[in-house]
Amino acid sequence: MSAELPPLLDRALRLARVDFAPSHRQPAGPRVITALVVSLAGSLGADALLVTIGQAVFPSTKGYGHFQFSDYAKLTVIGVVIACVAWPIVTRLSSEPRWLFFRLAIAVTLVLWLPDLYILFRGAPGRAVAVLAVMHLAIALVTYNCLVHIAPVRPAVDPAVRPAVGSHARPSDRFVRRGD
C-alpha cells in the first residue's frame, strides 16, 4: 500500500531529486570517517591560512576576536561533523546524491553567511567579516570535495557477479561473472 504525496510536495521532491530509491550502495563507513578527519584537517588548515592572509592583507583585522583559533575551530568542527553525518543520509534519500549534496552545501553556506551579515550590520569591521565569509566558503568546498571523493557512493552490486572463490584468486579476479 503506497501513500500518495500531495502534488506540490511530490513535485518539490522530484525537483530536489529526492526519490528514496537509490540504486547505489552507501559510502563505506571507514571512508566516511576518513573523509571526516581529512575535512577537519583541511578546513581548519584553510581557516588558519585565510586568517593569516586576511591579517596580512588587512592589518587592521589583527586581534579580531573571531580570528582566534579557539573561536573558529569549535564552529568549524561542528559544521564539518554535521556535513559528514548529512552525506550518508543524502546518499540514502537520492539516486543523485552528489547533485543534491552540492546544492545543499550552497544553501547551507548562504545560511551561514547570515550571521556574518548580522555582525557586519552590528558594527564588525567589513574586512574581517569578508574573511569570515571566505572561511565559510572554504570549509564548504573542502568538506564537499572530501566527502564525495573520499567517501563516494558505491555502485550497486550486479546480481550476475559473485565474489571469486578460492585462494588462487588474484585481486584483479575479485569478481567473476557466473557462467565463466
Side-chain angles (χ1 to χ4, degrees), residues 92-166:
R92 187 62 124 170
L93 299 177
S94 176
S95 56
E96 295 187 51
R98 283 181 66 164
W99 184 94
L100 178 58
F101 198 63
F102 180 73
R103 280 141 185 88
L104 289 172
I106 292 169
V108 168
T109 301
L110 292 173
V111 168
L112 291 175
W113 281 344
L114 293 175
D116 296 341
L117 290 174
Y118 176 76
I119 64 172
L120 177 65
F121 289 120
R122 298 277 301 173
R127 291 175 174 169
V129 173
V131 173
L132 291 175
V134 173
M135 289 167 68
H136 282 116
L137 181 60
I139 294 164
L141 289 170
V142 167
T143 303
Y144 171 83
N145 281 292
C146 285
L147 286 166
V148 302
H149 294 291
I150 296 171
V153 293
R154 299 174 293 163
V157 177
D158 183 353
V161 175
R162 63 177 168 76
V165 180

Side-chain angles (χ1 to χ4, degrees), residues 71-93:
D71 189 68
Y72 64 77
K74 63 185 165 202
L75 296 173
T76 298
V77 169
I78 291 167
V80 169
V81 168
I82 290 170
C84 290
V85 168
W87 172 237
I89 293 169
V90 170
T91 64
R92 187 62 124 170
L93 299 177

